[in-house]
Amino acid sequence: MIEYRHYESGKTTVVTTECALCGTPIRDQQGIQDHLPSCPAREIYAERGALRDGGPDPERVRAAIAFHEADETPTLAADGGPEVSR
Ligand SMILES: [Zn+2]
């Protein structure tokens, strides 16, 4: 998802709120450029011809994301919420 964000200063920017490939929410302090290098779906989309016929097999994308999440540090909140204090 990409949306406009309007600031009180009158400035408007376009921000990415969610990765278009894997659906991971992108935090405000983070950018899509910070997420993409570790995007679990990136390699599938990078394959030759991946975007033909409506894109890659959703099952493969889901499997890659599930594998990635299992690998993720549990203390890092996926929704960008408060981190678990230790
Ligand atoms: Zn992603």
Side-chain angles (χ1 to χ4, degrees):
M1 285 287 289
I2 293 175
E3 64 184 33
Y4 281 107
R5 192 147 298 172
H6 305 280
Y7 294 94
E8 285 177 29
S9 61
K11 203 178 133 201
T12 301
T13 56
V14 176
V15 295
T16 308
T17 56
E18 195 174 85
C19 176
L21 305 185
C22 70
T24 296
I26 307 294
R27 279 172 274 172
D28 277 0
Q29 310 90 318
Q30 202 187 24
I32 188 69
Q33 70 275 13
D34 296 319
H35 165 75
L36 268 184
S38 61
C39 178
R42 186 177 72 130
E43 289 180 17
I44 295 172
Y45 278 87
E47 285 172 11
R48 184 180 288 268
L51 293 179
R52 278 187 216 142
D53 303 324
D57 184 357
E59 279 301 318
R60 284 189 63 205
V61 175
R62 261 197 293 274
I65 294 166
F67 180 79
H68 178 80
E69 279 170 358
D71 207 35
E72 200 106 287
T73 343
T75 50
L76 233 161
D79 62 352
E83 280 183 35
V84 181
S85 56
R86 281 188 260 187

